[in-house]
Amino acid sequence: MKKNMGSADRIIRILIAAIVAVLYFTGTITGTVGTILLVLGGIFLLTSLVSFCPIYAIFGFRTCPAK
């Protein structure tokens, strides 16, 4: 698995995941929409930690700097 995410992209995804988690656990977003956003936030967090996004790979998109 080759890295395809840059540091700015990773930081943005981690921030989005944290915001969604806070909103979900404080009860601001609830129900089905809250659950879907929480799962999406988890996916964002996971892809940020491994620096690889499968959707980026499908479309050949990279945000990491060229070596």
Side-chain angles (χ1 to χ4, degrees):
M1 209 167 28
K2 199 172 187 180
K3 294 183 178 182
N4 63 1
M5 289 176 57
S7 59
D9 192 16
R10 291 175 58 207
I11 291 169
I12 291 168
R13 286 176 180 241
I14 289 171
L15 287 174
I16 290 171
I19 290 168
V20 168
V22 167
L23 291 174
Y24 182 81
F25 290 115
T26 59
T28 306
I29 53 175
T30 59
T32 305
V33 173
T35 305
I36 291 170
L37 288 175
L38 189 64
V39 169
L40 186 62
I43 292 170
F44 275 9
L45 185 62
L46 179 66
T47 57
S48 295
L49 294 176
V50 296
S51 298
F52 179 78
C53 179
I55 294 175
Y56 283 5
I58 290 170
F59 292 110
F61 189 68
R62 296 173 54 98
T63 59
C64 63
K67 290 182 181 179

